[in-house]
């Protein structure tokens, strides 16, 4: 069952990446606008600014005026990256057939760190969805996808946090050997197998949610995970070429 | 009088709404095709990316003024995104309500009319503040293009485009009248500079610069032309007007009609080629600069064989090179500066006007925020010509009025004639008690005639044609 789910995780991840790549490629079929106007500034510097300093509260009123939301957004996305890293470690460390040459065993401290980042990300994600529910203007801006995307990712973070905590507990011995010995005595079998089952149960649900999330990525707003970089690069090109970004004399 | 105006505005709006009511399914199909044709890969990227975070709301002067959800940039963008998703994405076709996709129909056309023409000045401030980095005004203009293909551009804006196409300039000034005005202004210049040989050259072949004006200048603000002529004279510049093609404006840019925009901008290109000038100099006009400097080469489909510069770049160069000398004590001020969106945020002319003003007055005060982060005055995007949205435009201008009031300035420098018109109205409406001037006028007031220390780079012109 777990092996099948691991395959499903990998396959749906590949599906998400391929679908998003296809969507990006599809945009090129709309045609690229010619660039005949002579540049006034540097497109490269504009892109660097757009992907760096241009996102800081010092440069964006929308961030400086909404610092709690801004930081919630950053922590939410940090949590997502941590959860994805944790998922990768699970898929590899549990010995995916055909991928046995790679493994990523997590030390207990790293598992705990990922657990904390995922938990903070989860709280941030929940705060963002609550904001969306409670503010009439934001509610009016939203469609079902806005809520669904957030809730799917929140579930992913929740399970990543739970699973990584269990991994930390097992690795660090926080759940004692006698705990698993007792389970083994009750069910029959070894303490090691009991510990493995414990983790396996937590991971099963995590894998299921990951599969759902990867399947949903190209359908809804989560596709901004690709398009965000695409859009910011384009904006950086636009303002860089026109000499607006970065401001003269500004250090990138 | 106000009632009469309001009923006129209502009539104008109703006329277009009637046209929308009459749209056939074939018309809508055509609009969709035009819309698709206007989209490039950039648009498609932006239309795939909005996450509806709503953080752009307070970057928009419309939303700040009315607090209406319809004024939130994401909401305006969403009207376009919804159509894009419905017709050009898998999810939009399969689960439209789930992802907020909508058919291009009469209902959404009405919303486009109200929001994309009536609640957006294409200022681009929301793009800087967008969490993702979406170029919203770029997308809005593509949707305006689809409206233009169905003859659904608000009447005032369309008639400005039509006048420019039919008469050669957006005020419909006959050529003889333009020439006569320039002759009269030449007399003014001679008096001002005390030089009987001073002139405003017309059709001077081989001149270094071809200077363009906003047709509102000869009609209502002729002294802004004299101001620039004084500066050219003091710098010993070789320059000329064209008797036929001198209009820097391009309302096709606002209406979304690329064909009209191309025709209008191409006239200046032809004049440059006919007169053999080296630099096309654009008067203080925000959208005129954006259109002719950045967009027109794309509309026309070629790289220009000449330079395109704002008059502000030219004047700043004169000061740096010592070709003119300014006495800042002649402008006691205090002077503040409005940054026109199309010139600054979308055009890249950010520091030149500051350099000129700091050389022209000792009492210069910046607005907050300023430069590319400045607020739109509300006069851009063709708003001044769309009388049906006048009330909304003035309301949205409150943000700018408050900005000006906070500086305590007595003079507002605005290097854009659309902005000047809007600021003059705001001055009256919000009782600001300021004087609105172009940057060149302020520089000309500080000009020391005969004070230049360097008269290099002069070009010998050939003969008038």
């Amino acid at each position: 069952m777990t092996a099948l789910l691991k395959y499903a995780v990998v396959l749906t991840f590949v599906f998400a990446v391929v679908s998003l790549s296809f969507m990006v490629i599809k945009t090129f079929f709309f045609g690229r606008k010619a660039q005949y106007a002579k540049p006034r500034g540097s497109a490269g510097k504009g892109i660097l600014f757009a992907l760096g300093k241009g996102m800081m509260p010092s440069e964006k009123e929308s961030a400086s005026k909404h610092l709690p939301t801004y930081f919630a957004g950053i922590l939410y996305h940090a949590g997502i990256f941590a959860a994805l890293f944790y998922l990768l470690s699970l898929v590899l460390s549990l010995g995916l057939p055909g991928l046995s040459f790679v493994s990523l065993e997590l030390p207990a401290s790293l598992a705990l760190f990922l657990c904390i980042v995922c938990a903070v990300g989860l709280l941030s994600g929940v705060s963002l969805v609550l904001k969306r529910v409670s503010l009439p203007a934001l509610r009016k801006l939203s469609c079902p996808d806005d809520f669904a995307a957030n809730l799917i990712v929140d579930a992913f973070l929740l399970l990543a946090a739970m699973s990584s905590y269990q991994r930390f507990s097992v690795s660090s011995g926080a759940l004692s050997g006698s705990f698993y010995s007792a389970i083994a005595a009750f069910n029959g079998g070894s303490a090691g197998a009991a510990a493995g089952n414990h983790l396996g149960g937590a991971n099963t649900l995590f894998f299921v949610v990951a599969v759902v999330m990867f399947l949903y990525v190209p359908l809804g707003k989560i596709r901004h995970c690709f398009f965000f970089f695409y859009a910011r690069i384009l904006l950086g090109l636009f303002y860089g070429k026109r000499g607006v970004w970065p401001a003269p004399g500004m250090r990138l | 009088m106000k009632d009469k105006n309001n009923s006129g505005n209502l009539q104008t709006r109703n006329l277009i709404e009637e046209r929308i009511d009459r749209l056939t399914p074939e018309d809508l199909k055509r609009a969709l095709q035009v819309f698709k044709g206007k989209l490039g890969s950039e648009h498609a990227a932006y239309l795939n990316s909005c996450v509806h975070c709503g953080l752009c709301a307070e970057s928009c002067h419309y939303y700040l003024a009315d607090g209406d959800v319809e004024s939130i940039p994401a909401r305006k963008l969403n009207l376009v995104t919804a159509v894009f998703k419905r017709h050009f994405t898998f999810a939009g076709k399969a689960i439209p309500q789930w992802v907020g996709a909508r058919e291009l129909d009469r209902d959404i056309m009405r919303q486009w009319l109200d929001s994309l023409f009536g609640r957006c000045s294409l200022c681009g401030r929301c793009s800087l503040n967008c969490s993702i980095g979406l170029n919203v005004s770029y997308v809005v203009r593509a949707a305006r293009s689809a409206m233009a293909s169905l003859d659904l551009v608000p009447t005032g804006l369309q008639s400005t485009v039509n006048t420019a196409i039919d008469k050669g300039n957006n005020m419909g000034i006959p050529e003889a009248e333009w020439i006569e005005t320039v002759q009269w202004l030449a007399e003014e210049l001679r008096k001002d500079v005390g030089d009987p040989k001073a002139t405003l050259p017309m059709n001077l072949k081989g001149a270094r610069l071809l200077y363009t004006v906003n047709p509102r200048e000869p009609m209502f603000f002729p002294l802004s032309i004299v101001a620039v002529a004084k500066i050219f004279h003091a710098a010993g510049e070789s320059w000329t007007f064209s008797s036929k093609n001198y209009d820097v404006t391009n309302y096709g840019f606002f209406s979304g009609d690329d064909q009209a925009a191309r025709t209008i901008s191409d006239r200046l290109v032809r004049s440059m080629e006919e007169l053999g000038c080296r630099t096309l100099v654009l008067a203080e006009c925000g959208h005129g600069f954006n259109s002719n400097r950045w967009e027109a080469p794309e509309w026309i489909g070629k790289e220009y064989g000449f330079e395109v510069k704002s008059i502000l770049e030219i004047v700043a160069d004169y000061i740096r090179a010592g070709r003119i000398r300014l006495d800042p004590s002649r402008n006691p001020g205090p002077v503040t500066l409005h940054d026109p969106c199309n010139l600054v945020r979308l055009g890249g002319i950010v520091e030149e006007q500051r350099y000129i003003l700091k050389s022209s007055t000792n009492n210069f005060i910046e607005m907050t925020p300023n430069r590319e982060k400045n607020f739109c005055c509300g006069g851009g995007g063709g708003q001044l010509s769309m009388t049906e949205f006048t009330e909304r435009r003035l309301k949205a201008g409150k943000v700018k009025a408050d900005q000006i009031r906070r500086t305590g300035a007595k003079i507002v420098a605005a290097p854009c004639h659309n902005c000047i018109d809007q600021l003059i109205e705001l001055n009256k409406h919000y009782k600001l008690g300021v004087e609105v001037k172009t940057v060149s006028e302020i520089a000309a007031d500080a000009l020391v005639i005969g004070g230049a220390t360097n008269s290099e780079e002069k070009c010998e012109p050939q003969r008038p044609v």
Side-chain angles (χ1 to χ4, degrees), chain A residues 10-135:
Chain A
V10 173
L11 286 176
T12 51
F13 175 76
V14 171
F15 163 77
V17 171
V18 169
S19 303
L20 288 172
S21 305
F22 175 73
M23 290 170 83
V24 168
I25 291 166
K26 205 177 148 194
T27 65
F28 297 132
F29 289 106
F30 282 94
R32 179 97 176 88
K33 194 176 159 187
Q35 302 283 320
Y36 293 113
K38 287 173 192 158
R40 193 170 194 272
S42 157
K45 283 183 180 171
I47 292 170
L48 280 178
F49 182 82
L51 292 170
K53 201 169 183 181
M55 294 194 287
M56 298 291 133
S58 58
E59 294 301 321
K60 273 169 74 169
E61 191 183 281
S62 56
S64 61
K65 281 188 175 171
H66 299 273
L67 283 175
T69 303
Y70 176 75
F71 285 113
I74 289 177
L75 293 172
Y76 188 35
H77 287 85
I80 294 166
F81 284 114
L84 286 171
F85 179 76
Y86 179 67
L87 179 70
L88 177 73
S89 79
L90 284 186
V91 170
L92 296 180
S93 67
L94 293 179
L96 190 71
L99 286 175
S100 54
F101 58 94
V102 278
S103 70
L104 190 56
E105 292 293 345
L106 289 186
S109 55
L110 183 55
L112 180 64
F113 174 73
L114 291 176
C115 168
I116 292 168
V117 178
C118 290
V120 173
L122 170 66
L123 290 175
S124 304
V126 171
S127 75
L128 291 174
V129 82
L130 287 177
K131 185 184 172 192
R132 189 175 288 283
V133 171
S134 57
L135 294 182

Side-chain angles (χ1 to χ4, degrees), chain A residues 26 30-34 36 38 40 60-62 66 132 140 145-146 216 221 232 239 242, chain B residues 39 41-42 51-52 58 75 88 98 125 129-130 132 138 290 293 295 298 345-346 348 352:
Chain A
K26 205 177 148 194
F30 282 94
R32 179 97 176 88
K33 194 176 159 187
Y36 293 113
K38 287 173 192 158
R40 193 170 194 272
K60 273 169 74 169
E61 191 183 281
S62 56
H66 299 273
R132 189 175 288 283
K140 203 165 176 190
D145 167 50
D146 291 308
Y216 191 73
K221 71 185 242 183
R232 280 212 85 77
Y239 283 117
R242 294 181 181 215
Chain B
L39 298 178
S41 54
E42 293 100 328
V51 293
H52 302 154
E58 286 140 335
R75 179 78 172 170
F88 307 118
W98 187 261
R125 193 168 192 273
N129 287 291
C130 174
I132 303 289
Y138 207 59
N290 191 3
R293 172 67 176 85
E295 303 296 340
E298 322 305 343
R345 183 162 40 244
L346 299 168
E352 285 81 354

Side-chain angles (χ1 to χ4, degrees), chain B residues 401 405 425-434:
Chain B
R405 208 190 300 275
E425 282 196 57
L426 295 181
N427 191 20
K428 213 157 110 183
H429 191 77
Y430 293 101
K431 299 181 175 50
L432 296 173
V434 294

Side-chain angles (χ1 to χ4, degrees), chain B residues 254-415:
Chain B
F254 291 144
S255 73
D257 184 345
D258 283 351
Q259 182 62 44
R262 181 186 306 127
T263 303
I264 294 167
S265 282
D266 195 42
R267 288 172 179 161
L268 295 181
V269 175
R270 275 189 283 122
S271 282
M272 281 297 290
E273 287 165 356
E274 281 164 19
L275 294 171
C277 300
R278 272 192 273 158
T279 306
L280 175 63
V281 181
L282 307 167
E284 296 185 38
C285 174
H287 89 276
F289 181 81
N290 191 3
S291 301
N292 290 300
R293 172 67 176 85
W294 294 111
E295 303 296 340
E298 322 305 343
W299 293 327
I300 295 167
K302 69 174 183 185
E303 195 173 312
Y304 290 170
F306 51 83
E307 279 187 314
V308 184
K309 286 192 166 186
S310 161
I311 182 66
L312 300 173
E313 292 172 279
I314 300 289
V315 176
D317 282 348
Y318 290 160
I319 301 170
R320 279 189 208 104
R323 289 179 67 179
I324 59 171
R325 194 161 69 83
L326 302 174
D327 175 3
S329 69
R330 294 185 186 180
N331 284 309
V335 179
T336 190
L337 171 67
H338 163 64
D339 285 298
C341 312
N342 274 296
L343 184 75
V344 180
R345 183 162 40 244
L346 299 168
I349 305 295
V350 185
E351 298 302 331
E352 285 81 354
Q353 53 273 44
R354 290 177 162 75
Y355 178 63
I356 297 168
L357 286 175
K358 285 173 186 170
S359 306
S360 305
T361 176
N362 290 320
N363 199 352
F364 173 66
I365 305 165
E366 285 279 13
M367 284 187 203
T368 308
N370 56 54
R371 293 179 169 82
E372 79 277 9
K373 298 186 184 78
N374 199 17
F375 275 105
C376 176
C377 64
Q383 293 300 331
L384 283 162
S385 58
M386 297 186 274
T387 50
E388 56 271 56
F389 302 120
T390 300
E391 205 175 307
R392 214 182 264 173
R393 166 170 61 82
L394 288 174
K395 197 172 177 184
K398 184 174 184 304
V399 179
K400 177 54 61 183
D402 289 344
Q403 253 192 310
I404 293 170
R405 208 190 300 275
R406 279 198 300 272
T407 64
K410 291 286 166 218
I411 296 169
V412 180

